[in-house]
């Protein structure tokens, strides 16, 4: 393989707003959207990753990484970045004869092309993103990346250059969200929210005495358990702040807000880390753990409640 990029290249109740439909491409149909497993290698994407990696390629890197147990999707994504800028290179053909988004020599690709992954081409081809990314995961696995034992050697096997290895590791580090340590209050709030998983959603509900929670009732109760008062409704919780910068790394306990605009907040969730959040989503549902969805167009920002900024009702 040879890198081409350097050479060319409101109210009490809460409503969850629908996420936009992804383009009807083969990758989306095959993969069913982004997915993070629960292993330590499944880091949440950093702001840089979300801004730099096309959403369908990000989903593909995340889905293919478990092909090699212990391999982080960030390593695959970094190779995709260094090789062809995530398939943005105009030709995706190198002078050495490597082709496609992950820059495989056809003979090398053949050794790692099977089994054909869901959504891959038949016969498989190094030009197809699904085929190529899965093959890259298998190649890395065969050369030391399994269980993270020797990722550096695995990357060197991909491209025999120590400078290449350093560049890939640098990009991989930047693509992972490095979660700040939660405060003691945040730990207590997350613990409370976890204890409510499965509790019914009740519009205007403040807890067991009402038969359940709505979204802002849950977050208010979670922080009440941590000794920090919050206003009752989602909009007021958002307005209370303190607001995090858009590029800030999220920590467990941060509140995530959704709605048509910052003045029309309709939903709030409690971030728990690893790209996941806990919320009371809608009537007929229960308190659940689900994707944090911070790339949704309805995401309006996050706050990190503190004792100094506890809100009035």
């Amino acid at each position: 393989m040879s890198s081409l990029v350097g050479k060319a290249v409101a109210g009490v109740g809460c409503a969850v707003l629908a996420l936009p439909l992804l383009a009807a491409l083969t990758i989306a149909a095959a993969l069913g959207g982004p997915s993070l497993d629960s292993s330590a290698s499944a880091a949440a994407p950093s702001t840089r990753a979300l801004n730099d990696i096309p959403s369908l390629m990000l989903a593909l890197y995340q889905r293919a990484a478990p092909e090699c147990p212990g391999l982080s999707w960030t390593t695959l994504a970094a190779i995709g970045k260094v090789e062809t800028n995530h398939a943005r290179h105009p030709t995706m053909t190198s002078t050495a004869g490597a082709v496609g988004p992950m820059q495989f020599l056809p003979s090398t690709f053949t050794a790692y092309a099977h089994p054909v992954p869901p959504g891959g081409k038949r016969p498989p081809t190094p030009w197809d993103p699904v085929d190529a990314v899965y093959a890259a995961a298998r190649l890395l696995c065969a050369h030391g990346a399994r269980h993270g034992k020797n990722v550096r050697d695995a990357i060197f096997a991909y491209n025999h250059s120590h400078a290449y290895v350093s560049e890939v590791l640098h990009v991989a580090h930047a693509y992972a969200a490095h979660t700040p340590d939660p405060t003691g209050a945040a730990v207590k709030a997350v613990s409370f929210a976890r204890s409510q998983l499965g509790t019914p959603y009740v519009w205007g509900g403040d807890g067991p005495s009402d038969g359940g929670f709505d979204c802002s009732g849950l977050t208010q109760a979670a922080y009440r358990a941590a000794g920090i008062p919050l206003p009752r409704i989602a909009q007021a919780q958002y307005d209370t702040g303190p607001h995090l910068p858009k590029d800030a790394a999220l920590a467990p306990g941060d509140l995530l807000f959704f709605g048509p605009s910052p003045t029309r907040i309709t939903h709030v969730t409690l971030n728990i880390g690893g790209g996941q959040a806990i919320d009371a989503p809608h009537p007929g549902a229960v308190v659940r753990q689900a994707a944090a969805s911070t790339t949704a167009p309805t995401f309006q920002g996050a706050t990190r409640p503190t004792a100094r900024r506890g809100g009035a009702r």
Side-chain angles (χ1 to χ4, degrees), residues 154-165:
I155 299 170
F156 186 82
Y158 204 95
N159 191 323
H160 301 313
S161 162
H162 292 293
Y164 176 88
V165 173

Side-chain angles (χ1 to χ4, degrees), residues 80-109:
K81 172 65 174 181
V82 174
E83 294 292 351
T84 65
N85 194 18
H86 309 301
R88 295 185 182 107
H89 185 271
T91 67
M92 291 195 288
T93 302
S94 77
T95 56
V99 300
M102 301 301 280
Q103 286 295 281
F104 272 102
L105 294 171
S107 58
T108 304
F109 173 78

